[in-house]
Amino acid sequence: MSDYRVGIDLGGTKTEVILLNLRSEILFRTRIPTVRGDYQATIESIATLVAQAEAEVGIAGLPVGVGIPGTVSRKTGLVKNANSVWLNGQPLQKDLCARMGRDVKLTNDANCLAVSEATDGAGQGYPLVFAGILGTGCGAGLAWQGSPLVGPNGVAGEWGHNPLPWTDAAELAQRPCYCGRSGCQETFLSGTGFCLSYQLRTGLALTGADISARAAAGEEAAVAVQEEYLDQLARGLAAVINVLDPDVIVLGGGLSNNLSIYQTLPTLLPRYVFGGECDTPVVQAKHGDSSGVRGAAWLNPL
């Protein structure tokens, strides 16, 4: 049993590696621009980063976990649903195992967030952790007893591509999604969706930070959009609670830094949770944007 774990976060713009010891201490960490559009170069860049981490402790063959912006089909072993489209249809896990000469664990990056926060983060000690990402997109992952819960189709926790609950058809139709449908939660609850809400109300295309600043200054439209967003988020999370009833909900991504989420959701969730009450804690991710790469490292259990 190794005393170290290597994690890789393969993002759309950056690829990051981390080396952890069994006390969750970071011994090595670096990131490089993701090699876009070149599958073989992607494999080589991951192998190079792993070798750099291993050189830090002078040990080869360490356990490696990789988080990707997609999932692996259990049926075919090929990557699907990746917005880094050059990965789709490729046997990435098989090829990484062959390139590095060992078993490499691989899962969706949102599952890595869930594993990280369940292991030594805001979800530590909770059996079932639902981890939602409120960033440029909107995704989620599940961890049960610290391990990723993936499902036979590889889409367990794929929260962002369900329609926003308790929303009329006309409003859903205003929100086309890249997946080919309209009204997906991602088109409301992501940072992109938040900005779209403001644009639909005012005609102005502003950044999320600008909208939040205007809300803080008391601008009526910005305040209304922020209040609307919190109600939409409550609806989305209530649907999760109604189906899974997780022990804790952990939120990451840029919008998760809005502290009004954690102040307001406890009052909004009971409106939508079946039975009219909700004791589910909703908390901010402890490790921030480090959660993905840390969770990849912990894909190899102790």
Side-chain angles (χ1 to χ4, degrees), residues 71-80 149-155:
T71 192
V72 176
S73 167
R74 182 182 294 184
K75 185 178 294 185
T76 66
L78 306 179
V79 174
K80 63 178 182 177
L149 185 61
V150 177
N153 300 299
V155 295

Side-chain angles (χ1 to χ4, degrees), residues 36 67 134 194 198 232:
R36 298 186 59 81
L134 307 175
F194 179 66
Y198 187 81
Q232 291 165 345

Side-chain angles (χ1 to χ4, degrees), residues 32-115:
I32 60 172
T34 294
V35 183
R36 298 186 59 81
D38 190 328
Y39 177 68
Q40 289 301 325
T42 298
I43 292 174
E44 290 304 315
S45 68
I46 291 172
T48 298
L49 288 173
V50 170
Q52 290 177 12
E54 292 176 330
E56 190 70 17
V57 289
I59 303 174
L62 293 178
V64 175
V66 180
I68 66 168
T71 192
V72 176
S73 167
R74 182 182 294 184
K75 185 178 294 185
T76 66
L78 306 179
V79 174
K80 63 178 182 177
N81 301 337
N83 54 21
S84 298
V85 294
W86 64 94
L87 302 177
N88 287 325
Q90 300 286 357
L92 181 59
Q93 186 168 21
K94 177 182 176 182
D95 288 342
L96 287 174
C97 291
R99 173 62 179 82
M100 287 187 273
R102 74 197 82 167
D103 180 41
V104 176
K105 299 290 192 296
L106 189 147
T107 194
N108 178 264
D109 49 11
N111 290 337
C112 290
L113 167 65
V115 169

Side-chain angles (χ1 to χ4, degrees), residues 33-249:
T34 294
V35 183
R36 298 186 59 81
D38 190 328
Y39 177 68
Q40 289 301 325
T42 298
I43 292 174
E44 290 304 315
S45 68
I46 291 172
T48 298
L49 288 173
V50 170
Q52 290 177 12
E54 292 176 330
E56 190 70 17
V57 289
I59 303 174
L62 293 178
V64 175
V66 180
I68 66 168
T71 192
V72 176
S73 167
R74 182 182 294 184
K75 185 178 294 185
T76 66
L78 306 179
V79 174
K80 63 178 182 177
N81 301 337
N83 54 21
S84 298
V85 294
W86 64 94
L87 302 177
N88 287 325
Q90 300 286 357
L92 181 59
Q93 186 168 21
K94 177 182 176 182
D95 288 342
L96 287 174
C97 291
R99 173 62 179 82
M100 287 187 273
R102 74 197 82 167
D103 180 41
V104 176
K105 299 290 192 296
L106 189 147
T107 194
N108 178 264
D109 49 11
N111 290 337
C112 290
L113 167 65
V115 169
S116 173
E117 294 297 322
T119 300
D120 59 0
Q124 186 175 8
Y126 292 96
L128 180 59
V129 176
F130 177 87
I133 299 176
L134 307 175
T136 304
C138 174
L142 293 164
W144 170 252
Q145 302 287 12
S147 296
L149 185 61
V150 177
N153 300 299
V155 295
E158 190 53 77
W159 178 53
H161 293 282
N162 295 286
L164 185 69
W166 302 288
T167 304
D168 65 55
E171 191 174 359
L172 293 175
Q174 286 184 303
R175 310 273 180 148
C177 184
Y178 78 88
C179 75
R181 295 181 171 86
S182 294
C184 290
Q185 290 182 117
E186 178 162 307
T187 67
F188 290 89
L189 303 182
S190 66
T192 308
F194 179 66
C195 294
L196 178 58
S197 294
Y198 187 81
Q199 185 175 6
L200 289 171
R201 184 178 287 266
T202 67
L204 299 175
L206 299 181
T207 67
D210 287 339
I211 297 167
S212 295
R214 290 186 176 213
E219 182 193 279
E220 184 177 348
V223 169
V225 166
Q226 186 157 277
E227 290 176 348
E228 178 183 60
Y229 177 83
L230 291 171
D231 188 73
Q232 291 165 345
L233 181 59
R235 282 182 265 157
L237 291 177
V240 171
I241 294 168
N242 285 343
V243 174
L244 291 175
D245 208 2
D247 296 293
V248 65
I249 293 172

Side-chain angles (χ1 to χ4, degrees), residues 4-6 62-66 103-105 295-302:
Y4 307 100
R5 297 289 183 276
V6 179
L62 293 178
V64 175
V66 180
D103 180 41
V104 176
K105 299 290 192 296
W298 293 127
L299 292 177
N300 289 279
L302 301 181

